[in-house]
Amino acid sequence: MSIFRELTEGLPRQAPGSPATTLRALGLVRGLPSRPRILDVGCGPGAQTIELARATGGWLVAVDIRQRFLDELAERAGEAGVLPQVTMLNTSMFDMDFADASFDLIWSEGAIYIAGFAEGLGAWRRLLKPGGWLAVSELTWLVPNPPAQPAEYWGRSYPGMGSIERNCQLVAEAGYVNMDGFVLPPQDWRNYYEPAERRVEELREKYADDREALATLDEASREHDLFRAYHDAYGYVFYVMRKPAA
């Protein structure tokens, strides 16, 4: 756990993304009130939380199970001048006890996989007001027959990973409408991996004599290298959808 925390804490992002991508996905959301109530599930250090606060003028609840990420978000939100709009909540996405129909928009970048794509769609639907929107980014196969190396790696690391077609089917089965979305560009992966790779190299020096820690670092490097080699086979996809108004 120590090496995992050192690998992730203090980095600008915990998943591929960018301000431009957050705003592009937000642009697919229509008819929000002037100050929407927004839930950001698995917010991490909150790069997207800050963009949503700026762009919507809304009130946000940012949920994450790691207090360090919430502390980083509070500091960054203060620097951005949006801290009064953001409430940080240290809890698991499995333990969210908000009342039904609490939010106009639910957002989750790179975190719904923790619940499972279909499971998250189903569990979070009750939290949306009628006509409310859900926007999530999810690791997705982009080809019908993935190459052997990424298929083996992600089959072990994320066996629930689906195709765009399958995920669109799950969106419909969960009762959402007006589904739209797009594949995140490669630059969004660089925004995530390049700081992470620098952290890996720092930790290799620190843990040069720790075989277990080095094995964890090797696995992180393999993930980075796989995407470079097979970025046409898989990627993150933003799925934006609406709960019917009636």
Side-chain angles (χ1 to χ4, degrees):
M1 182 59 71
S2 173
I3 187 70
F4 178 73
R5 290 185 181 277
E6 290 183 79
L7 266 172
T8 56
E9 291 179 348
L11 297 179
R13 291 189 168 274
Q14 296 300 308
S18 67
T21 287
T22 296
L23 294 177
R24 181 180 175 187
L26 183 62
L28 300 177
V29 174
R30 303 181 298 279
L32 287 178
S34 58
R35 287 188 175 272
R37 286 185 52 80
I38 302 171
L39 174 63
D40 188 357
V41 182
C43 63
Q48 72 290 334
T49 317
I50 292 167
E51 292 301 325
L52 292 170
R54 284 171 169 160
T56 67
W59 307 106
L60 288 92
V61 178
V63 171
D64 204 281
I65 200 169
R66 292 171 68 179
Q67 186 60 44
R68 172 64 182 273
F69 288 154
L70 298 176
D71 294 341
E72 292 172 11
L73 168 56
E75 181 178 354
R76 294 171 182 176
E79 293 170 353
V82 298
L83 184 57
Q85 295 170 242
V86 183
T87 299
M88 276 73 69
L89 181 61
N90 184 338
T91 193
S92 165
M93 65 176 65
F94 298 103
D95 297 327
M96 298 186 297
D97 59 356
F98 305 108
D100 291 357
S102 291
F103 298 98
D104 301 292
L105 172 62
I106 297 177
W107 202 270
S108 186
E109 294 198 22
I112 192 172
Y113 79 94
I114 296 169
F117 188 72
E119 292 79 4
L121 296 180
W124 302 347
R125 189 177 186 275
R126 72 167 187 85
L127 303 177
L128 285 171
K129 297 177 182 179
W133 291 83
L134 173 63
V136 301
S137 65
E138 165 75 344
L139 192 63
T140 303
W141 292 116
L142 305 180
V143 295
N145 297 299
Q149 287 192 46
E152 180 276 329
Y153 179 86
W154 290 112
R156 176 167 45 85
S157 299
Y158 185 27
M161 183 172 164
S163 65
I164 292 176
E165 293 75 14
R166 176 56 178 158
N167 287 343
C168 289
Q169 180 182 359
L170 293 172
V171 167
E173 290 175 356
Y176 294 94
V177 296
N178 301 124
M179 209 284 291
D180 205 342
F182 57 90
V183 179
L184 274 63
Q187 178 59 48
D188 282 10
W189 285 79
R190 291 192 286 272
N191 295 340
Y192 169 52
Y193 278 154
E194 288 179 0
E197 287 175 328
R198 290 192 291 270
R199 178 67 57 81
V200 166
E201 293 312 308
E202 294 169 3
L203 293 175
R204 285 191 189 281
E205 296 183 13
K206 179 178 179 179
Y207 291 101
D209 298 321
D210 186 329
R211 293 178 61 183
E212 185 175 346
L214 290 174
T216 300
L217 297 174
D218 287 342
E219 190 72 1
S221 293
R222 186 184 178 203
E223 180 183 330
H224 306 163
D225 293 340
L226 267 178
F227 181 74
R228 287 195 184 89
Y230 297 103
H231 60 271
D232 292 332
Y234 66 93
Y236 270 87
V237 175
F238 238 116
Y239 300 88
V240 180
M241 66 207 78
R242 183 173 66 87
K243 179 180 179 178

